[in-house]
Amino acid sequence: MNDIQDFWDFLQLQGDKLLEQTLEHISLTFISLALAILIGLPVGLLITRYKKGVGPAFGITGILQTIPSIALLGFLIPVLGIGPKPAIFALFLYSLLPIIRNAFTGVMQVDAKVKEAARGMGMTDWQLLTRVELPLALPVLFAGIRTAAVLNVGVATLAAYIAAGGLGEFIFGGIALNNTPMILAGAVPAALLAVGIDFLLARLQHLRLPLLRPAALLLFLALPLLSSFYLLPNRSGFQAGLSPEFAGRADGYPGLKATYGLDLNTVIMAPALVYKAVYEGDVDVIDGYSTDGKIKTYSLRVLEDDQNSFPPYHAAFLIREPVLLRHPELREVLEMLSGTINDSTMTALNYHVDFDKAAPAEVAQAFLEQQGLWRPPQNGTGETIQLGSKIFTEQYILTEMLSQLIRGYTNLQVSARTGLGGTKICFDALAAGEIDIYPEYTGTGLQVILNTPQPVADKLSKENDKVFRYVADRFHEQYHILWLPPLGFNNTYALMMREEQAVKLKIRSISDLKEHLAH
Amino acid sequence: MIRLRNVTKRFGGLLAVDDVTLDVKEGETLVLLGTSGCGKTTTLKLINRLEELTAGTIEVAGTNIQQQKPEDLRRKMGYVIQGAGLFPHYTVQENIAVVPRLLHWSKEKIDKRTHEVLELLRISPQQYLSKYPHELSGGQQQRVGLARALISDPPVILMDEPFGALDPITRISIRREFKNIEALRHKTKVLVTHDVLEAFELGDRICLMDNGKIQQLGTTQELVFRPANEFVMRFLQDHLFQLQLQVLQLHQLRPYLPAVSPANATDAIVFPESESVLEAIQILTATGAPQQSLTLEANTETPPQAATVADLMAAVEQLTPSLRA
């Protein structure tokens, strides 16, 4: 019940955004559909005359259909960049098969006697096609358009990953934030849209023959109209590309809005794409993590958070209290790393893995050796400690360091479960005792795990020590989980721009950016 | 009107039509008869170029059909097929208007001709023009199909099993109607059928085909009384008695019929002398009175004559040996 109430509240709060996303979604669906009809219908009709084309046409479109949609979008990014273009193109490719196939089948299933009569009366091939075959193929053709449209509504949700907008923005934002009302705000309208379009086109398909021709005309006139919503929202000017989580999180973009009064022209895209998007100039400013190796790869400038909008995200290991009580020798090992890694060190380590393609294990060992901490493994026979990590480079490296230290200094064995999806998965695994240790960030603990009320969080965030003490106390109290002393670096959210552009526009801090946009 | 010379059609390795030579005279009905796969339909389709010749020549009204665009050729010939082949998305009116529209007739002309043709075929325009084919019975559809072929008044009409999709009762009645349509009487007609009785009822001459070859080409009487070969004999033997009566006309029996006896003839049914003997016997029998007699119309040379069914049968017995000779 609570969820439903939350859902309504969310809809009321985000009504404008929802309308915009729905229109974008309809637009994406129908632009691609219109293109697919424009290309697919002639192809489908042509292969009724040149049968040699049937195999290749069905073969190629059939193969396209089997490419997973997210992979297809991935293939298209290098060619078409990000934004609506690759999304529309991908949807167009998916729509081709049902339209070509149904145009072909529709014409082929016209009664042979009727075709013979038409030719026998002296119709040319073109007259036969336009006056007899096409009108009689309309119900089947409509069925194909219907299939394609419903398919498109579903696949178009993925467009949000590549900054093409649509209802996927809420869905992916909601998943990233574990925010059910937000997921529903995207999923329910998308489902309604699919059902509605399916219903309308089904009505069209089952019309009586004489009404089909006007109906077809109406549909083809309506298509450009339905496609045109995309033109409405203004997407020009200084553009921000945000990952869904950042866009929705209280300490992310909404926090920036509150603190700086920053109002960016935003598009949502997959976290993996933001760096590339800013690098290639598709967008001008992105969100990211302050220690990400890609900052170096793509020559980006991290804008200074001069008004402390982003809460501190100091990294530290979390350990279950019972494990530490059983193996007190672990404390010394775990604290070896405390304070040894600063922001630029972490960025460099990440860069080695991300850009130089070094293995996290090598990078970790090299760092430990440099710090004089590395010892060869003892090949211990003690209890096995389960390490966990989230699915990004920095966590792999940290987990690897810890694993090497435990092997070198204790008799314990180590097994690592790396690549656990996100915060929630990692923390739930730790709380359930499926893993014993994983690296976490103070801000995440505060916001995502403890769900600290915003005013409290805001007050705490201004000073790092307070956050750490707050989360450490609460975790101990509520979950019997301990925070070890921070490792030293602060992997917080950051806004970034291309170095070159930042220099040109003289933007160093987020306040500068706000200044620049005000003009 | 139509001349086929050494016409051959091959489908890959299959010889569908093998060296066929025939003429269709102006105003006559030539029936292409045979079992399925004998080449009769292919022969018909060669005439309007729905199939293209492998070898040989075809002329229609003195022009080689290869020298015309197929569409132009077809617009000058009516084409009626089994099940009518009406366009399901067109009304009766639109169906009938297909060819005139292809010929760019004015709307007034199309409307006028539509009404004329429907009246000829005894279809009520008010009742049927705005109906769709699926709302019509099979027989009505076939009539509309015929109207569609007749509207542009083409000199030649090609028909491919035109009554094939109808039930036996409708079939017989529409066949009879068809024979009596004035608008058709002077057209040159080529009709394909596998139905022997239909062929002999509608045809002036019959071209019996087998394996792509002509087995016999002749008048109905020639086929019945002087079959060219074993195949023709076997093909007709099941219906031979009926066919004999069918192809004979009453006037042929005159020499063998008794002279008129006015006393008997007062309530006799009067027949035209060109009526088929079979038809006459069927009508007499249908009255149920065995002694019912008929009177043959007098013509300029002979006085009227009268006969009963028994008289007719006896006359046929006497006549046939001379026809076989």
Side-chain angles (χ1 to χ4, degrees):
Chain A
M1 277 319 283
N2 224 351
D3 271 354
I4 294 175
Q5 190 54 47
D6 288 349
F7 176 55
W8 285 120
D9 290 347
F10 186 90
L11 288 189
Q12 280 177 351
L13 219 64
Q14 303 270 2
D16 289 352
K17 192 96 180 102
L18 179 66
L19 181 67
E20 186 190 318
Q21 289 186 10
T22 307
L23 291 182
E24 278 173 0
H25 207 93
I26 293 174
S27 229
L28 278 175
T29 303
F30 283 98
I31 294 176
S32 46
L33 193 64
L35 286 176
I37 293 173
L38 217 61
I39 306 289
L41 183 57
V43 170
L45 296 180
L46 210 64
I47 56 177
T48 63
R49 298 305 195 263
Y50 303 96
K51 294 275 166 40
K52 275 187 189 151
V54 176
F58 285 9
I60 293 168
T61 49
I63 288 169
L64 286 173
Q65 202 80 6
T66 65
I67 303 176
S69 23
I70 197 85
L72 185 57
L73 291 173
F75 289 140
L76 292 174
I77 290 169
V79 190
L80 295 171
I82 58 160
K85 263 188 282 175
I88 290 169
F89 192 67
L91 292 177
F92 156 75
L93 291 180
Y94 281 126
S95 312
L96 275 180
L97 178 65
I99 288 172
I100 293 180
R101 186 189 52 204
N102 283 44
F104 176 78
T105 317
V107 167
M108 295 313 285
Q109 53 94 57
V110 173
D111 187 355
K113 280 283 162 199
V114 170
K115 292 186 202 183
E116 186 191 322
R119 294 180 64 216
M121 282 187 294
M123 286 195 181
T124 61
D125 197 45
W126 176 250
Q127 287 165 336
L128 171 66
L129 185 67
T130 53
R131 297 188 190 187
V132 179
E133 289 178 319
L134 195 54
L136 290 175
L138 280 178
V140 183
L141 179 64
F142 281 157
I145 292 176
R146 181 178 157 201
T147 310
V150 173
L151 195 79
N152 275 0
V153 172
V155 179
T157 54
L158 294 176
Y161 261 144
I162 56 169
L167 291 163
E169 288 192 4
F170 276 156
I171 297 178
F172 294 119
I175 291 173
L177 294 168
N178 195 21
N179 179 342
T180 310
M182 196 182 210
I183 298 177
L184 289 178
V188 170
L192 289 179
L193 211 55
V195 172
I197 289 173
D198 188 53
F199 175 76
L200 286 178
L201 289 174
R203 291 286 296 268
L204 221 56
Q205 181 188 343
H206 293 126
L207 282 178
R208 287 185 306 113
L209 276 172
L211 293 177
L212 274 172
R213 274 180 290 174
L217 204 67
L218 207 70
L219 176 67
F220 295 131
L221 287 177
L223 275 178
L225 209 72
L226 288 167
S227 307
S228 63
F229 294 131
Y230 224 129
L231 305 174
L232 296 179
N234 173 25
R235 285 182 176 270
S236 61
F238 200 86
Q239 187 89 43
L242 306 181
S243 57
E245 183 167 348
F246 182 81
R249 251 173 102 139
D251 56 356
Y253 182 52
L256 282 182
K257 272 188 178 168
T259 312
Y260 293 91
L262 192 64
D263 189 15
L264 293 166
N265 199 356
T266 62
V267 289
I268 305 295
M269 63 183 84
L273 291 175
V274 289
Y275 288 98
K276 207 158 181 217
V278 72
Y279 177 69
E280 286 178 352
D282 291 320
V283 296
D284 303 297
V285 60
I286 59 165
D287 69 286
Y289 297 98
S290 52
T291 56
D292 199 317
K294 297 191 196 79
I295 296 170
K296 222 171 143 180
T297 315
Y298 292 117
S299 324
L300 302 178
R301 170 180 290 187
V302 176
L303 303 186
E304 191 195 333
D305 179 16
D306 50 334
Q307 292 185 31
N308 292 323
S309 168
F310 298 129
Y313 279 73
H314 285 276
F317 285 111
L318 292 189
I319 184 167
R320 294 195 296 125
E321 195 175 22
V323 177
L324 198 59
L325 292 176
R326 270 206 309 279
H327 303 288
E329 72 272 25
L330 270 176
R331 181 178 288 278
E332 192 194 338
V333 177
L334 285 164
E335 288 180 357
M336 278 177 183
L337 288 172
S338 299
T340 55
I341 311 171
N342 65 19
D343 286 7
S344 58
T345 312
M346 196 64 237
T347 307
L349 295 177
N350 285 334
Y351 176 77
H352 276 310
V353 175
D354 284 337
F355 195 69
D356 298 339
K357 306 289 174 210
E362 283 170 44
V363 174
Q365 188 178 338
F367 174 76
L368 293 178
E369 280 170 351
Q370 188 204 326
Q371 298 285 315
L373 291 172
W374 195 78
R375 275 200 207 165
Q378 293 184 5
N379 295 321
T381 53
E383 194 189 337
T384 302
I385 301 295
Q386 294 281 358
L387 302 185
S389 89
K390 301 185 199 176
I391 188 163
F392 54 89
T393 311
E394 182 170 295
Q395 292 249 333
Y396 290 142
I397 300 173
L398 293 176
T399 310
E400 196 54 54
M401 285 180 187
L402 188 60
S403 153
Q404 291 179 11
L405 287 175
I406 295 174
R407 286 197 179 102
Y409 287 84
T410 73
N411 189 38
L412 297 168
Q413 301 184 61
V414 179
S415 137
R417 293 192 182 175
T418 52
L420 299 176
T423 300
K424 196 170 160 48
I425 296 171
C426 262
F427 181 75
D428 287 350
L430 185 71
E434 286 178 43
I435 56 175
D436 301 315
I437 306 176
Y438 84 90
E440 189 50 281
Y441 306 88
T442 51
T444 313
L446 184 72
Q447 301 270 358
V448 180
I449 299 172
L450 292 177
N451 257 322
T452 310
Q454 203 51 48
V456 181
D458 283 346
K459 233 165 77 191
L460 290 168
S461 291
K462 301 300 169 195
E463 209 178 326
N464 175 39
D465 278 359
K466 280 192 182 160
V467 174
F468 182 76
R469 240 172 284 136
Y470 182 84
V471 293
D473 288 351
R474 293 298 153 95
F475 270 58
H476 189 209
E477 217 169 87
Q478 291 182 16
Y479 308 111
H480 300 287
I481 288 170
L482 301 176
W483 283 78
L484 290 158
L487 297 168
F489 64 91
N490 180 17
N491 183 3
T492 184
Y493 276 128
L495 283 190
M496 309 168 191
M497 296 176 64
R498 287 183 297 281
E499 178 76 39
E500 187 194 345
Q501 190 187 23
V503 169
K504 203 172 108 196
L505 299 176
K506 299 196 178 68
I507 296 175
R508 292 188 168 281
S509 63
I510 298 177
S511 296
D512 291 347
L513 177 62
K514 155 86 178 138
E515 266 315 283
H516 172 74
L517 291 179
H519 298 306
Chain B
M1 188 69 181
I2 305 174
R3 287 161 60 95
L4 279 71
R5 289 292 172 270
N6 309 104
V7 164
T8 297
K9 173 66 184 179
R10 237 175 233 291
F11 293 108
L14 181 82
L15 197 54
V17 179
D18 185 3
D19 196 29
V20 163
T21 294
L22 62 82
D23 289 314
V24 188
K25 294 176 210 139
E26 192 161 349
E28 82 166 334
T29 303
L30 178 80
V31 175
L32 297 170
L33 177 65
T35 50
S36 47
C38 73
K40 57 190 193 299
T41 295
T42 307
T43 306
L44 185 81
K45 287 183 178 176
L46 286 169
I47 298 173
N48 67 1
R49 292 186 64 183
L50 284 176
E51 299 292 351
E52 292 293 347
L53 286 168
T54 307
T57 56
I58 299 179
E59 282 175 20
V60 175
T63 317
N64 187 330
I65 60 167
Q66 298 305 122
Q67 283 155 12
Q68 311 176 45
K69 276 213 290 208
E71 291 82 29
D72 294 339
L73 177 75
R74 290 175 198 149
R75 285 170 199 177
K76 284 183 268 176
M77 295 185 195
Y79 187 52
V80 184
I81 61 175
Q82 179 171 2
L86 297 180
F87 300 150
H89 58 308
Y90 280 7
T91 59
V92 166
Q93 181 163 30
E94 289 165 331
N95 262 294
I96 294 176
V98 168
V99 176
R101 284 211 196 131
L102 294 175
L103 296 170
H104 305 293
W105 285 13
S106 70
K107 195 181 171 322
E108 296 74 41
K109 190 173 171 194
I110 295 177
D111 282 348
K112 187 163 157 279
R113 267 303 285 170
T114 303
H115 280 81
E116 279 173 20
V117 159
L118 288 181
E119 255 151 52
L120 280 175
L121 296 176
R122 273 164 263 148
I123 307 172
S124 151
Q126 295 82 355
Q127 209 176 335
Y128 289 107
L129 276 183
S130 55
K131 287 220 159 102
Y132 283 89
H134 70 267
E135 300 169 298
L136 306 180
S137 70
Q140 288 165 336
Q141 287 187 23
Q142 205 60 55
R143 280 197 199 94
V144 173
L146 199 56
R148 185 168 71 169
L150 284 174
I151 186 165
S152 60
D153 201 18
V156 173
I157 296 198
L158 308 180
M159 289 171 284
D160 186 3
E161 302 271 9
F163 313 118
L166 305 177
D167 64 86
I169 308 282
T170 315
R171 196 170 170 153
I172 288 168
S173 76
I174 199 169
R175 212 150 76 189
R176 199 155 289 163
E177 240 175 66
F178 174 82
K179 246 188 346 186
N180 295 324
I181 294 169
E182 190 56 40
L184 272 173
R185 195 152 293 165
H186 303 291
K187 307 259 179 230
T188 307
K189 288 149 285 182
V190 182
L191 184 140
V192 165
T193 184
H194 65 275
D195 179 332
V196 179
L197 297 178
E198 181 169 299
F200 280 80
E201 186 177 339
L202 299 179
D204 295 316
R205 286 194 306 147
I206 289 179
C207 173
L208 180 58
M209 293 180 70
D210 187 49
N211 271 327
K213 281 197 170 65
I214 297 180
Q215 297 299 322
Q216 186 168 5
L217 173 61
T219 63
T220 50
Q221 287 194 18
E222 279 167 352
L223 264 84
V224 170
F225 295 108
R226 288 199 293 276
N229 57 36
E230 192 69 15
F231 176 85
V232 180
M233 231 156 21
R234 266 191 292 114
F235 197 87
L236 303 181
Q237 71 189 5
D238 285 350
H239 304 285
L240 198 55
F241 179 66
Q242 191 179 347
L243 293 179
Q244 286 177 355
L245 297 181
Q246 165 97 60
V247 301
L248 290 175
Q249 296 180 333
L250 288 175
H251 68 88
Q252 290 177 286
L253 301 181
R254 274 191 195 276
Y256 310 101
L257 291 178
V260 72
S261 130
N264 292 352
T266 45
D267 59 349
I269 305 168
V270 181
F271 281 90
E273 64 170 11
S274 63
E275 186 62 86
S276 106
V277 176
L278 180 67
E279 187 83 355
I281 290 176
Q282 278 170 343
I283 290 170
L284 288 183
T285 314
T287 63
Q291 291 309 309
Q292 178 71 51
S293 63
L294 59 76
T295 310
L296 217 48
E297 245 176 6
N299 64 17
T300 45
E301 284 146 41
T302 25
Q305 288 177 289
T308 62
V309 172
D311 294 332
L312 290 172
M313 294 305 291
V316 169
E317 287 280 303
Q318 288 173 286
L319 170 68
T320 44
S322 67
L323 293 171
R324 289 214 172 84

